[in-house]
């Protein structure tokens, strides 16, 4: 089984930056892809994904502002968020595709002046 723990959320002013982290543990060799999703307050929506071979995909709303990456040595995935907007406010969840779909506990990001 895979476990995911997010960190790095918080309060930031519009135009600011935050970096989210998602540390994976357990049977990480079964992970084929990982991603970030957000929910506020309606349905959960995709933010960005990264495959095991490094291919990335972004929602149109974050292209050019957010960057997904991973550090295999640390078993950690990141989401660098720049030029944040109030509409980016949400609970951000990391996700891993393994033998099943695994979700982290979520971390709150609030963009407000």
């Amino acid at each position: 089984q895979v476990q995911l723990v997010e960190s790095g959320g918080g309060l930031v002013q519009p135009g600011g930056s935050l970096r989210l982290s998602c540390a994976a543990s357990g049977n990480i060799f079964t992970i084929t892809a990982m991603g970030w999703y957000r929910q506020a307050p309606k349905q959960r929506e995709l933010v960005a994904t990264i495959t095991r071979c490094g291919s990335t995909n972004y929602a149109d709303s974050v292209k050019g502002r957010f960057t997904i990456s991973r550090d295999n040595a640390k078993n950690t995935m990141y989401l660098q968020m720049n030029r944040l907007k109030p509409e980016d406010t949400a609970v951000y969840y990391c996700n891993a595709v393994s033998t099943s779909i695994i979700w982290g506990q979520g971390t709150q990001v609030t963009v407000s002046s």
Side-chain angles (χ1 to χ4, degrees):
Q1 186 69 315
V2 173
Q3 296 82 40
L4 303 173
V5 177
E6 299 111 334
S7 60
L11 173 64
V12 63
Q13 291 187 343
S17 299
L18 279 175
R19 188 177 79 158
L20 305 183
S21 300
C22 175
S25 61
N27 201 3
I28 60 172
F29 298 104
T30 64
I31 296 174
T32 57
M34 297 183 73
W36 290 97
Y37 290 72
R38 64 188 181 187
Q39 185 164 9
K42 296 180 178 180
Q43 67 182 23
R44 193 170 294 186
E45 63 176 7
L46 179 146
V47 176
T49 61
I50 185 166
T51 68
R52 185 157 54 188
C53 62
S55 297
T56 58
N57 180 55
Y58 295 90
D60 288 342
S61 59
V62 306
K63 282 181 181 176
R65 300 188 298 123
F66 291 10
T67 303
I68 189 171
S69 63
R70 65 184 186 193
D71 184 332
N72 291 333
K74 296 181 178 180
N75 299 325
T76 301
M77 175 180 65
Y78 303 98
L79 185 68
Q80 178 66 44
M81 305 185 293
N82 299 327
R83 305 203 311 274
L84 282 159
K85 305 175 181 180
E87 50 263 44
D88 295 318
T89 295
V91 178
Y92 283 70
Y93 296 89
C94 70
N95 153 289
V97 179
S98 175
T99 54
S100 60
I101 306 298
I102 310 298
W103 293 94
Q105 81 283 1
T107 185
Q108 177 70 45
V109 171
T110 302
V111 184
S112 175
S113 55

PDB file of all heavy atoms in Angstrom, residues 1-4 24-34 50-53 70 72 75 95-102:
ATOM      1  N   GLN A   1       0.838  -1.194   0.000  1.00  0.00           N
ATOM      2  CA  GLN A   1       0.000   0.000   0.000  1.00  0.00           C
ATOM      3  C   GLN A   1       0.876   1.248   0.000  1.00  0.00           C
ATOM      4  O   GLN A   1       1.994   1.240   0.498  1.00  0.00           O
ATOM      5  CB  GLN A   1      -0.910   0.000   1.243  1.00  0.00           C
ATOM      6  CG  GLN A   1      -1.923   1.121   1.291  1.00  0.00           C
ATOM      7  CD  GLN A   1      -3.012   0.997   0.239  1.00  0.00           C
ATOM      8  OE1 GLN A   1      -2.751   0.710  -0.932  1.00  0.00           O
ATOM      9  NE2 GLN A   1      -4.244   1.215   0.636  1.00  0.00           N
ATOM     10  N   VAL A   2       0.350   2.303  -0.619  1.00  0.00           N
ATOM     11  CA  VAL A   2       1.043   3.590  -0.718  1.00  0.00           C
ATOM     12  C   VAL A   2       0.372   4.593   0.211  1.00  0.00           C
ATOM     13  O   VAL A   2      -0.862   4.637   0.310  1.00  0.00           O
ATOM     14  CB  VAL A   2       1.008   4.113  -2.166  1.00  0.00           C
ATOM     15  CG1 VAL A   2       1.572   5.526  -2.260  1.00  0.00           C
ATOM     16  CG2 VAL A   2       1.780   3.171  -3.090  1.00  0.00           C
ATOM     17  N   GLN A   3       1.179   5.394   0.885  1.00  0.00           N
ATOM     18  CA  GLN A   3       0.664   6.482   1.708  1.00  0.00           C
ATOM     19  C   GLN A   3       1.215   7.817   1.185  1.00  0.00           C
ATOM     20  O   GLN A   3       2.365   7.884   0.745  1.00  0.00           O
ATOM     21  CB  GLN A   3       1.058   6.324   3.181  1.00  0.00           C
ATOM     22  CG  GLN A   3       0.480   5.093   3.869  1.00  0.00           C
ATOM     23  CD  GLN A   3       1.293   3.843   3.590  1.00  0.00           C
ATOM     24  OE1 GLN A   3       2.511   3.879   3.572  1.00  0.00           O
ATOM     25  NE2 GLN A   3       0.598   2.746   3.354  1.00  0.00           N
ATOM     26  N   LEU A   4       0.380   8.856   1.247  1.00  0.00           N
ATOM     27  CA  LEU A   4       0.758  10.181   0.764  1.00  0.00           C
ATOM     28  C   LEU A   4       0.516  11.208   1.861  1.00  0.00           C
ATOM     29  O   LEU A   4      -0.537  11.189   2.507  1.00  0.00           O
ATOM     30  CB  LEU A   4      -0.071  10.569  -0.461  1.00  0.00           C
ATOM     31  CG  LEU A   4      -0.012   9.615  -1.662  1.00  0.00           C
ATOM     32  CD1 LEU A   4      -1.016  10.060  -2.727  1.00  0.00           C
ATOM     33  CD2 LEU A   4       1.382   9.561  -2.242  1.00  0.00           C
ATOM     34  N   ALA A  24       5.635  10.414  -0.598  1.00  0.00           N
ATOM     35  CA  ALA A  24       5.076   9.079  -0.771  1.00  0.00           C
ATOM     36  C   ALA A  24       5.887   8.071   0.020  1.00  0.00           C
ATOM     37  O   ALA A  24       7.112   8.168   0.109  1.00  0.00           O
ATOM     38  CB  ALA A  24       5.059   8.699  -2.250  1.00  0.00           C
ATOM     39  N   SER A  25       5.198   7.090   0.593  1.00  0.00           N
ATOM     40  CA  SER A  25       5.869   6.015   1.316  1.00  0.00           C
ATOM     41  C   SER A  25       5.122   4.724   1.057  1.00  0.00           C
ATOM     42  O   SER A  25       4.023   4.717   0.495  1.00  0.00           O
ATOM     43  CB  SER A  25       5.930   6.321   2.817  1.00  0.00           C
ATOM     44  OG  SER A  25       4.627   6.442   3.356  1.00  0.00           O
ATOM     45  N   GLY A  26       5.718   3.625   1.486  1.00  0.00           N
ATOM     46  CA  GLY A  26       5.100   2.335   1.265  1.00  0.00           C
ATOM     47  C   GLY A  26       5.594   1.717  -0.031  1.00  0.00           C
ATOM     48  O   GLY A  26       6.749   1.874  -0.403  1.00  0.00           O
ATOM     49  N   ASN A  27       4.708   1.066  -0.766  1.00  0.00           N
ATOM     50  CA  ASN A  27       5.073   0.333  -1.972  1.00  0.00           C
ATOM     51  C   ASN A  27       5.122   1.286  -3.176  1.00  0.00           C
ATOM     52  O   ASN A  27       4.348   1.161  -4.129  1.00  0.00           O
ATOM     53  CB  ASN A  27       4.059  -0.784  -2.213  1.00  0.00           C
ATOM     54  CG  ASN A  27       4.629  -1.864  -3.097  1.00  0.00           C
ATOM     55  OD1 ASN A  27       5.791  -1.820  -3.494  1.00  0.00           O
ATOM     56  ND2 ASN A  27       3.805  -2.847  -3.419  1.00  0.00           N
ATOM     57  N   ILE A  28       6.072   2.221  -3.141  1.00  0.00           N
ATOM     58  CA  ILE A  28       6.112   3.290  -4.133  1.00  0.00           C
ATOM     59  C   ILE A  28       6.438   2.780  -5.534  1.00  0.00           C
ATOM     60  O   ILE A  28       6.152   3.456  -6.517  1.00  0.00           O
ATOM     61  CB  ILE A  28       7.113   4.377  -3.727  1.00  0.00           C
ATOM     62  CG1 ILE A  28       8.515   3.795  -3.606  1.00  0.00           C
ATOM     63  CG2 ILE A  28       6.682   5.063  -2.432  1.00  0.00           C
ATOM     64  CD1 ILE A  28       9.586   4.845  -3.401  1.00  0.00           C
ATOM     65  N   PHE A  29       7.004   1.591  -5.638  1.00  0.00           N
ATOM     66  CA  PHE A  29       7.365   1.083  -6.965  1.00  0.00           C
ATOM     67  C   PHE A  29       6.142   0.711  -7.795  1.00  0.00           C
ATOM     68  O   PHE A  29       6.258   0.477  -8.998  1.00  0.00           O
ATOM     69  CB  PHE A  29       8.308  -0.101  -6.820  1.00  0.00           C
ATOM     70  CG  PHE A  29       9.593   0.261  -6.139  1.00  0.00           C
ATOM     71  CD1 PHE A  29       9.836  -0.079  -4.819  1.00  0.00           C
ATOM     72  CD2 PHE A  29      10.558   1.001  -6.816  1.00  0.00           C
ATOM     73  CE1 PHE A  29      11.027   0.280  -4.194  1.00  0.00           C
ATOM     74  CE2 PHE A  29      11.736   1.369  -6.197  1.00  0.00           C
ATOM     75  CZ  PHE A  29      11.966   1.001  -4.880  1.00  0.00           C
ATOM     76  N   THR A  30       4.987   0.682  -7.175  1.00  0.00           N
ATOM     77  CA  THR A  30       3.748   0.391  -7.909  1.00  0.00           C
ATOM     78  C   THR A  30       3.114   1.653  -8.497  1.00  0.00           C
ATOM     79  O   THR A  30       2.149   1.572  -9.232  1.00  0.00           O
ATOM     80  CB  THR A  30       2.715  -0.274  -6.987  1.00  0.00           C
ATOM     81  OG1 THR A  30       2.352   0.646  -5.946  1.00  0.00           O
ATOM     82  CG2 THR A  30       3.282  -1.546  -6.364  1.00  0.00           C
ATOM     83  N   ILE A  31       3.668   2.834  -8.172  1.00  0.00           N
ATOM     84  CA  ILE A  31       3.080   4.094  -8.643  1.00  0.00           C
ATOM     85  C   ILE A  31       3.429   4.320 -10.119  1.00  0.00           C
ATOM     86  O   ILE A  31       4.592   4.297 -10.492  1.00  0.00           O
ATOM     87  CB  ILE A  31       3.568   5.283  -7.808  1.00  0.00           C
ATOM     88  CG1 ILE A  31       3.103   5.146  -6.364  1.00  0.00           C
ATOM     89  CG2 ILE A  31       3.068   6.601  -8.402  1.00  0.00           C
ATOM     90  CD1 ILE A  31       3.668   6.200  -5.437  1.00  0.00           C
ATOM     91  N   THR A  32       2.421   4.559 -10.946  1.00  0.00           N
ATOM     92  CA  THR A  32       2.649   4.822 -12.374  1.00  0.00           C
ATOM     93  C   THR A  32       2.494   6.299 -12.713  1.00  0.00           C
ATOM     94  O   THR A  32       3.041   6.766 -13.709  1.00  0.00           O
ATOM     95  CB  THR A  32       1.678   4.013 -13.237  1.00  0.00           C
ATOM     96  OG1 THR A  32       0.324   4.329 -12.848  1.00  0.00           O
ATOM     97  CG2 THR A  32       1.902   2.517 -13.061  1.00  0.00           C
ATOM     98  N   ALA A  33       1.752   7.015 -11.916  1.00  0.00           N
ATOM     99  CA  ALA A  33       1.563   8.447 -12.148  1.00  0.00           C
ATOM    100  C   ALA A  33       1.120   9.093 -10.848  1.00  0.00           C
ATOM    101  O   ALA A  33       0.560   8.427  -9.968  1.00  0.00           O
ATOM    102  CB  ALA A  33       0.536   8.703 -13.244  1.00  0.00           C
ATOM    103  N   MET A  34       1.377  10.400 -10.745  1.00  0.00           N
ATOM    104  CA  MET A  34       0.929  11.166  -9.588  1.00  0.00           C
ATOM    105  C   MET A  34       0.352  12.491 -10.069  1.00  0.00           C
ATOM    106  O   MET A  34       0.605  12.927 -11.191  1.00  0.00           O
ATOM    107  CB  MET A  34       2.085  11.411  -8.613  1.00  0.00           C
ATOM    108  CG  MET A  34       2.655  10.145  -8.013  1.00  0.00           C
ATOM    109  SD  MET A  34       3.956  10.473  -6.802  1.00  0.00           S
ATOM    110  CE  MET A  34       2.966  11.094  -5.424  1.00  0.00           C
ATOM    111  N   ILE A  50       1.890  14.069 -13.389  1.00  0.00           N
ATOM    112  CA  ILE A  50       3.219  13.701 -13.876  1.00  0.00           C
ATOM    113  C   ILE A  50       3.309  12.181 -13.868  1.00  0.00           C
ATOM    114  O   ILE A  50       2.921  11.532 -12.900  1.00  0.00           O
ATOM    115  CB  ILE A  50       4.330  14.355 -13.011  1.00  0.00           C
ATOM    116  CG1 ILE A  50       5.714  14.062 -13.602  1.00  0.00           C
ATOM    117  CG2 ILE A  50       4.239  13.923 -11.553  1.00  0.00           C
ATOM    118  CD1 ILE A  50       6.807  14.944 -13.015  1.00  0.00           C
ATOM    119  N   THR A  51       3.780  11.619 -14.969  1.00  0.00           N
ATOM    120  CA  THR A  51       3.887  10.177 -15.074  1.00  0.00           C
ATOM    121  C   THR A  51       5.247   9.699 -14.578  1.00  0.00           C
ATOM    122  O   THR A  51       6.156  10.499 -14.311  1.00  0.00           O
ATOM    123  CB  THR A  51       3.698   9.715 -16.523  1.00  0.00           C
ATOM    124  OG1 THR A  51       4.817  10.177 -17.303  1.00  0.00           O
ATOM    125  CG2 THR A  51       2.406  10.252 -17.108  1.00  0.00           C
ATOM    126  N   ARG A  52       5.385   8.397 -14.509  1.00  0.00           N
ATOM    127  CA  ARG A  52       6.646   7.822 -14.036  1.00  0.00           C
ATOM    128  C   ARG A  52       7.812   8.201 -14.954  1.00  0.00           C
ATOM    129  O   ARG A  52       8.941   8.345 -14.502  1.00  0.00           O
ATOM    130  CB  ARG A  52       6.515   6.302 -13.933  1.00  0.00           C
ATOM    131  CG  ARG A  52       7.720   5.609 -13.338  1.00  0.00           C
ATOM    132  CD  ARG A  52       7.354   4.257 -12.740  1.00  0.00           C
ATOM    133  NE  ARG A  52       6.666   3.401 -13.680  1.00  0.00           N
ATOM    134  CZ  ARG A  52       6.119   2.231 -13.328  1.00  0.00           C
ATOM    135  NH1 ARG A  52       6.170   1.817 -12.081  1.00  0.00           N
ATOM    136  NH2 ARG A  52       5.503   1.485 -14.235  1.00  0.00           N
ATOM    137  N   CYS A  53       7.510   8.392 -16.240  1.00  0.00           N
ATOM    138  CA  CYS A  53       8.591   8.757 -17.169  1.00  0.00           C
ATOM    139  C   CYS A  53       8.777  10.263 -17.266  1.00  0.00           C
ATOM    140  O   CYS A  53       9.624  10.735 -18.026  1.00  0.00           O
ATOM    141  CB  CYS A  53       8.325   8.181 -18.547  1.00  0.00           C
ATOM    142  SG  CYS A  53       6.836   8.770 -19.327  1.00  0.00           S
ATOM    143  N   ARG A  70       9.102  16.221  -9.473  1.00  0.00           N
ATOM    144  CA  ARG A  70       9.283  15.183  -8.467  1.00  0.00           C
ATOM    145  C   ARG A  70      10.765  14.979  -8.223  1.00  0.00           C
ATOM    146  O   ARG A  70      11.596  15.240  -9.089  1.00  0.00           O
ATOM    147  CB  ARG A  70       8.638  13.879  -8.935  1.00  0.00           C
ATOM    148  CG  ARG A  70       9.312  13.312 -10.151  1.00  0.00           C
ATOM    149  CD  ARG A  70       8.640  12.090 -10.679  1.00  0.00           C
ATOM    150  NE  ARG A  70       9.433  11.523 -11.752  1.00  0.00           N
ATOM    151  CZ  ARG A  70       9.002  10.601 -12.580  1.00  0.00           C
ATOM    152  NH1 ARG A  70       7.781  10.132 -12.454  1.00  0.00           N
ATOM    153  NH2 ARG A  70       9.784  10.135 -13.518  1.00  0.00           N
ATOM    154  N   ASN A  72      12.857  11.825  -7.179  1.00  0.00           N
ATOM    155  CA  ASN A  72      12.760  10.376  -6.954  1.00  0.00           C
ATOM    156  C   ASN A  72      13.588   9.932  -5.761  1.00  0.00           C
ATOM    157  O   ASN A  72      13.220   8.988  -5.064  1.00  0.00           O
ATOM    158  CB  ASN A  72      13.203   9.626  -8.206  1.00  0.00           C
ATOM    159  CG  ASN A  72      12.222   9.788  -9.353  1.00  0.00           C
ATOM    160  OD1 ASN A  72      11.029  10.004  -9.132  1.00  0.00           O
ATOM    161  ND2 ASN A  72      12.714   9.703 -10.575  1.00  0.00           N
ATOM    162  N   ASN A  75      11.401  10.557  -2.920  1.00  0.00           N
ATOM    163  CA  ASN A  75      10.034  10.033  -3.056  1.00  0.00           C
ATOM    164  C   ASN A  75       9.005  11.133  -2.814  1.00  0.00           C
ATOM    165  O   ASN A  75       7.989  10.913  -2.133  1.00  0.00           O
ATOM    166  CB  ASN A  75       9.793   8.868  -2.083  1.00  0.00           C
ATOM    167  CG  ASN A  75      10.713   7.704  -2.328  1.00  0.00           C
ATOM    168  OD1 ASN A  75      11.065   7.405  -3.475  1.00  0.00           O
ATOM    169  ND2 ASN A  75      11.133   7.056  -1.261  1.00  0.00           N
ATOM    170  N   ASN A  95      -2.329  12.837  -5.342  1.00  0.00           N
ATOM    171  CA  ASN A  95      -2.975  11.613  -5.791  1.00  0.00           C
ATOM    172  C   ASN A  95      -1.903  10.731  -6.421  1.00  0.00           C
ATOM    173  O   ASN A  95      -0.978  11.235  -7.057  1.00  0.00           O
ATOM    174  CB  ASN A  95      -4.069  12.037  -6.792  1.00  0.00           C
ATOM    175  CG  ASN A  95      -4.408  11.003  -7.819  1.00  0.00           C
ATOM    176  OD1 ASN A  95      -3.601  10.736  -8.719  1.00  0.00           O
ATOM    177  ND2 ASN A  95      -5.603  10.450  -7.735  1.00  0.00           N
ATOM    178  N   ALA A  96      -2.020   9.435  -6.224  1.00  0.00           N
ATOM    179  CA  ALA A  96      -1.104   8.492  -6.861  1.00  0.00           C
ATOM    180  C   ALA A  96      -1.902   7.362  -7.478  1.00  0.00           C
ATOM    181  O   ALA A  96      -2.854   6.853  -6.862  1.00  0.00           O
ATOM    182  CB  ALA A  96      -0.121   7.935  -5.833  1.00  0.00           C
ATOM    183  N   VAL A  97      -1.502   6.994  -8.697  1.00  0.00           N
ATOM    184  CA  VAL A  97      -2.107   5.856  -9.366  1.00  0.00           C
ATOM    185  C   VAL A  97      -1.213   4.653  -9.117  1.00  0.00           C
ATOM    186  O   VAL A  97      -0.073   4.608  -9.573  1.00  0.00           O
ATOM    187  CB  VAL A  97      -2.263   6.115 -10.870  1.00  0.00           C
ATOM    188  CG1 VAL A  97      -2.871   4.904 -11.548  1.00  0.00           C
ATOM    189  CG2 VAL A  97      -3.101   7.347 -11.118  1.00  0.00           C
ATOM    190  N   SER A  98      -1.724   3.723  -8.346  1.00  0.00           N
ATOM    191  CA  SER A  98      -0.974   2.524  -7.998  1.00  0.00           C
ATOM    192  C   SER A  98      -1.857   1.331  -8.337  1.00  0.00           C
ATOM    193  O   SER A  98      -2.548   1.344  -9.355  1.00  0.00           O
ATOM    194  CB  SER A  98      -0.628   2.591  -6.509  1.00  0.00           C
ATOM    195  OG  SER A  98       0.003   1.429  -6.059  1.00  0.00           O
ATOM    196  N   THR A  99      -1.869   0.322  -7.527  1.00  0.00           N
ATOM    197  CA  THR A  99      -2.822  -0.773  -7.721  1.00  0.00           C
ATOM    198  C   THR A  99      -4.236  -0.268  -7.457  1.00  0.00           C
ATOM    199  O   THR A  99      -5.205  -0.908  -7.836  1.00  0.00           O
ATOM    200  CB  THR A  99      -2.486  -1.946  -6.805  1.00  0.00           C
ATOM    201  OG1 THR A  99      -2.403  -1.473  -5.468  1.00  0.00           O
ATOM    202  CG2 THR A  99      -1.147  -2.560  -7.207  1.00  0.00           C
ATOM    203  N   SER A 100      -4.328   0.865  -6.814  1.00  0.00           N
ATOM    204  CA  SER A 100      -5.583   1.595  -6.647  1.00  0.00           C
ATOM    205  C   SER A 100      -5.260   3.084  -6.659  1.00  0.00           C
ATOM    206  O   SER A 100      -4.100   3.464  -6.801  1.00  0.00           O
ATOM    207  CB  SER A 100      -6.274   1.196  -5.332  1.00  0.00           C
ATOM    208  OG  SER A 100      -5.436   1.487  -4.236  1.00  0.00           O
ATOM    209  N   ILE A 101      -6.292   3.901  -6.542  1.00  0.00           N
ATOM    210  CA  ILE A 101      -6.081   5.343  -6.508  1.00  0.00           C
ATOM    211  C   ILE A 101      -5.919   5.762  -5.048  1.00  0.00           C
ATOM    212  O   ILE A 101      -6.794   5.501  -4.225  1.00  0.00           O
ATOM    213  CB  ILE A 101      -7.242   6.105  -7.147  1.00  0.00           C
ATOM    214  CG1 ILE A 101      -7.500   5.590  -8.569  1.00  0.00           C
ATOM    215  CG2 ILE A 101      -6.959   7.603  -7.132  1.00  0.00           C
ATOM    216  CD1 ILE A 101      -6.335   5.778  -9.497  1.00  0.00           C
ATOM    217  N   ILE A 102      -4.813   6.416  -4.754  1.00  0.00           N
ATOM    218  CA  ILE A 102      -4.506   6.836  -3.389  1.00  0.00           C
ATOM    219  C   ILE A 102      -4.593   8.360  -3.305  1.00  0.00           C
ATOM    220  O   ILE A 102      -4.106   9.060  -4.203  1.00  0.00           O
ATOM    221  CB  ILE A 102      -3.086   6.399  -2.971  1.00  0.00           C
ATOM    222  CG1 ILE A 102      -2.872   4.915  -3.272  1.00  0.00           C
ATOM    223  CG2 ILE A 102      -2.846   6.701  -1.496  1.00  0.00           C
ATOM    224  CD1 ILE A 102      -3.788   3.982  -2.534  1.00  0.00           C
TER     225      ILE A 102
END
